[in-house]
Amino acid sequence: MTHSSNSVFQFESNTDDLFTPKQLDWLSTKVIPKRLFIKAATEFDDQWLNTSQERWEYRFSGRNFAIDFHNGKNFKELSESTIKLVKLITIKYACEYSASKIYDVANDLGLAFKEMKSLTHDTFVAHLNKLCIVASKSGDFFNCLYACRKLDIHEFFEDTDGDADIEDKLLFVPRPAVDNWGIYSDIDNVLPQEVVSMIENGLEEWSAKLTPSLATPEEKHRHMEQMRQRVSVDKLRDCIILGLNHCTGARPVQISKFAVGDVYPDTELSSITRFAAMIPYAKKSKVNVDRVRVALPEELGKLIFLYQNLANLQKGDPLFPQHEDATKMVSGAIKRQLLRFSSKEMQAAVEAGEAEAPVYTASVFRHHVGHSMAMSGASAEEIAYILGHTSTVVANRYVSATPSLAEIREKALGTNPVFKNMIAMMLTGNLIYRQNWTGRKVAGCVGGKLHHNVGGCNYEEPMCPFAQVRACYGCLYFKPFVEGDHQRVFDAFNDEIISHLKLSKDTNEEQHPLIPELTRRKEHVMSVVTRIALFNQTRGASNA
């Protein structure tokens, strides 16, 4: 491709020299769908984006958009391979965030790839450092940051520096010093809260179905025989790998080194069993130190013991197959299980090629564990111990970044009704009118008050493994009633939070463990309230 002689800025010819042969092979395996389902589109928006043309045109949120990959100023100097990469990243962004932002994403990436001489971890980090200083808007930086993480997740980069994680490198990249944070600029929250909720609910649901509490040895034997007929060991293994990554942040090589016996009951009571895991070393240490011991939720511990029995594993055997590359095994398990935990609508859309399956790597979960610990007040030494670091350099970055990231998250996500509506759509079922619902209704106590007629439940099992009403908001099986008194539920959660805050003050307990969970549940209710308000506004406008 040639340069324009009238251009103020002259770039070197951006041919396929930008890519390594392996990266070009990676690109050749990727297929761009001919049309893309536009997430959160209303009846007044385009429901689909035609991606078979070089000019992408669509209408969304009252605006007309056009991304010209042929004549656009940020795309003229790009090779076909580079444009294909821009399209792939743009499509993935559209599947996760707002379609109103993909015009900026595509153009920002086109400009970034013009200036970069190769695509590696280090060149992305160098470009991000430059954007932090000279970028005209924070979106330039965060769109490039998104692309870096997404390409790493999909194994685009070649392994050039051993087991160094991209997240560890990105911790040392400063963020733009601006006050105006857009809705979707909180890319540092690499594992969205809705994904965390989906994983936690999925583990609890699978545990309730597959490992019920049984009293007699006969019942346990009969249940195990039924499980051998019904349960796929491969699917159960995927579930366990995802659970271990989510709870411990272990590297793939550590996951592959788990042996039968590394997970064991720590405390057994009549009503609950606490489990612990001894995290294997990622590499040999010159100093003999105890392995990291972390607690596991009861649901995950029970699933691991069920898996060991179904796979006929003996003490000392490797917990997972040893013939497969550890990174590929873990990444594949995470991808497959996240899709299984997703709603049936999402699974159907992915199968039809109309949506992208959620994809996250072990590195993302590792970063999430470190960030979550810092947000909970853990010290750098504690974070370094859990993550298996030999020093506190990286852990200190989590701690120092926590206040600013918390402020960014609140500004970016805390008060935006559109984002809350999107989250509610991902976490709960479709809205429905009370008179149209014929299934079972949910009822339960929150804040010392009984709440009923707030929604229906289409969970296939007769017994719900969760606390009704309290856990319904944020559940895939919950169908909120349009006329339901959800504000009363929201107020009840507020009352509980205030009560626990007073209790914390009286007992000098700075961080009551229930307050973050109650706050998360309250946000789920607020998401549904906002979603219903937008639904009623749209319905009123269409009837006018």
Side-chain angles (χ1 to χ4, degrees), residues 281-390:
Y281 301 117
K283 58 184 74 172
K284 279 193 174 183
S285 174
K286 294 180 181 179
V287 182
N288 291 326
V289 295
D290 291 336
R291 290 204 288 176
V292 178
R293 178 176 176 271
V294 299
L296 293 182
E298 181 181 20
E299 295 81 13
L300 180 57
K302 288 182 176 180
L303 289 173
I304 291 175
F305 272 70
L306 174 64
Y307 165 74
Q308 291 174 176
N309 281 314
L310 295 182
N312 296 317
L313 298 178
Q314 306 299 319
K315 187 174 179 62
D317 288 346
L319 194 60
F320 305 113
Q322 298 297 299
H323 62 274
E324 190 176 356
D325 177 81
T327 301
K328 291 182 178 179
M329 176 187 72
V330 172
S331 298
I334 292 173
K335 181 178 181 179
R336 291 188 295 269
Q337 194 59 31
L338 281 176
L339 184 59
R340 294 188 189 108
F341 281 166
S342 300
S343 65
K344 289 182 172 58
E345 292 81 3
M346 179 65 174
Q347 295 179 32
V350 170
E351 186 177 355
E354 297 174 353
E356 287 275 346
V359 179
Y360 295 95
T361 63
S363 177
V364 172
F365 284 94
R366 185 173 177 78
H367 178 69
H368 172 73
V369 169
H371 176 65
S372 299
M373 290 184 66
M375 292 292 288
S376 300
S379 66
E381 288 76 12
E382 290 170 322
I383 296 173
Y385 174 76
I386 293 298
L387 296 185
H389 292 156
T390 56

Side-chain angles (χ1 to χ4, degrees), residues 147-191:
C148 177
R149 281 187 168 130
K150 193 56 60 175
L151 289 176
D152 186 71
I153 284 174
H154 288 276
E155 301 178 350
F156 171 80
F157 297 114
E158 294 184 40
D159 185 12
T160 57
D161 50 3
D163 55 2
D165 290 335
I166 185 62
E167 295 301 336
D168 289 345
K169 296 180 180 180
L170 292 177
L171 277 172
F172 294 89
V173 177
R175 272 37 175 180
V178 295
D179 295 327
N180 182 24
W181 296 96
I183 309 168
Y184 304 104
S185 293
D186 188 26
I187 307 299
D188 276 310
N189 186 32
V190 292
L191 197 61

Side-chain angles (χ1 to χ4, degrees), residues 202-213:
L203 289 173
E204 190 165 349
E205 180 187 339
W206 277 46
S207 178
K209 287 182 178 179
L210 304 181
T211 62
S213 298

Side-chain angles (χ1 to χ4, degrees), residues 15-46:
T15 65
D16 286 349
D17 293 340
L18 183 67
F19 304 96
T20 66
K22 288 185 177 180
Q23 289 173 340
L24 287 174
D25 290 340
W26 181 93
L27 268 175
S28 67
T29 64
K30 305 302 177 183
V31 178
I32 296 176
K34 293 183 179 179
R35 66 174 189 165
L36 177 69
F37 175 71
I38 298 180
K39 188 176 180 180
T42 69
E43 64 267 34
F44 304 110
D45 299 326
D46 287 339

